[in-house]
Amino acid sequence: MIVKTILEHVKNQFETDTTGHDWFHIERVYKMACHLQAKEGGDLEIIQLAALLHDISDHKMNGGKLNEGGNVALLLLLENGYEEKKAKIVANIVDGVSFKGALVKDQQISIEGKIVQDADRLDAIGAMGIARAFAFGGSKNRPIYEPSVLPELHDDFKKYATAKSHTINHFYEKLLLLKDRLHTNTAQVIGLNRHQIMEAFLVQFYDEWNLKNLD
Ligand code: ADP
Ligand code: NI
């Protein structure tokens, strides 16, 4: 019941997004999290709620507020009559989901948190990840690529969140690192194939950029 209520709420809120954080992203993360739970275990209701709420107030769309998602999730769950103890567990997962920089350690320790973070990360890599990266970059007026601007590995969430580099750099600053930051075995297997698709894409991208292999 609570899962259905939250699902409807999130669906309404995200239906109009064009930054790659649309309802379909949330829906894929939700379905992937359910798939991972079936293989890896964990509390299904907590996982479903955290997956649905994981981007409820993301810094990339809320004007830069870095740690608001958990609070917004908590309020929404309490307003809908969900038990406070469980609502806090969900809120805690939501706060820890986001990537905070190449050199910033992940905080998810529960199996539920690990599964939701894995599901979100799988949707940031592979063909879907490529599409979302350029959609996001375009929505923030970022260039596709500027060869002279090199990637930076950020050691601080704020620095990572306020960086404004071209989208190809995002592959080196986050997307290509995710394969080794997946927690569960099931996600690692899925992630490997998606990682290889990004690597092949980049090889082809540079070939076309440099007009190589034309004959
Ligand atoms: P996270 O919270 O871990 O960043 P999200 O679900 O919020 O994960 O999704 C982040 C999405 O936004 C990813 O698909 C990612 O490619 C895209 N994104 C974030 N920052 C950038 C950026 N600087 N350039 C291009 N895409 C970005
Ligand atoms: Ni997400």
Side-chain angles (χ1 to χ4, degrees):
M1 188 59 205
I2 181 78
V3 173
K4 178 130 190 1
T5 308
I6 297 297
L7 189 147
E8 289 306 324
H9 178 99
V10 173
K11 191 171 176 186
N12 281 334
Q13 181 169 335
F14 283 85
E15 226 148 26
T16 52
D17 178 278
T18 52
T19 69
H21 291 83
D22 49 280
W23 163 247
F24 292 116
H25 162 63
I26 312 284
E27 190 179 39
R28 286 190 304 272
V29 171
Y30 172 76
K31 288 181 177 166
M32 181 64 83
C34 291
H35 172 76
L36 296 178
Q37 190 275 343
K39 304 262 180 196
E40 303 275 344
D43 183 312
L44 183 60
E45 187 178 86
I46 298 283
I47 289 170
Q48 288 176 323
L49 291 172
L52 289 170
L53 291 167
H54 83 273
D55 273 338
I56 195 74
S57 184
D58 189 280
H59 68 94
K60 294 184 283 317
M61 288 88 60
N62 71 9
K65 296 188 279 292
L66 294 186
N67 296 305
E68 212 191 49
N71 271 335
V72 177
L74 182 66
L75 283 179
L76 192 65
L77 289 167
L78 295 179
E79 268 168 29
N80 284 286
Y82 197 51
E83 195 184 313
E84 186 170 352
K85 192 164 152 243
K86 289 191 193 170
K88 283 188 174 158
I89 296 174
V90 174
N92 201 26
I93 295 176
V94 170
D95 270 335
V97 161
S98 242
F99 186 81
K100 296 180 169 59
L103 305 174
V104 182
K105 246 181 133 242
D106 297 318
Q107 310 150 356
Q108 297 292 354
I109 40 171
S110 67
I111 181 65
E112 290 81 9
K114 287 176 177 169
I115 282 178
V116 175
Q117 190 164 53
D118 278 0
D120 191 33
R121 290 182 166 178
L122 286 174
D123 207 56
I125 61 179
M128 200 57 67
I130 296 170
R132 292 182 66 222
F134 289 102
F136 180 90
S139 79
K140 300 275 181 195
N141 297 319
R142 310 255 173 91
I144 294 174
Y145 181 40
E146 288 176 305
S148 62
V149 181
L150 300 177
E152 264 184 71
L153 298 182
H154 303 98
D155 58 5
D156 177 85
F157 188 20
K158 192 149 181 235
K159 282 190 221 157
Y160 169 73
T162 50
K164 292 192 166 51
S165 198
H166 58 84
T167 300
I168 288 293
N169 266 355
H170 189 60
F171 286 80
Y172 301 96
E173 293 174 354
K174 174 182 173 191
L175 306 185
L176 292 169
L177 311 176
L178 291 181
K179 162 178 79 71
D180 294 327
R181 290 174 70 158
L182 295 167
H183 307 281
T184 64
N185 248 318
T186 312
Q188 283 162 1
V189 173
I190 302 169
L192 186 59
N193 169 264
R194 295 187 181 196
H195 180 86
Q196 287 163 350
I197 283 168
M198 292 193 294
E199 284 190 323
F201 166 78
L202 287 168
V203 169
Q204 180 73 14
F205 181 92
Y206 295 125
D207 277 358
E208 293 182 17
W209 186 276
N210 295 310
L211 290 110
K212 276 207 185 140
N213 301 325
L214 298 183
D215 306 305

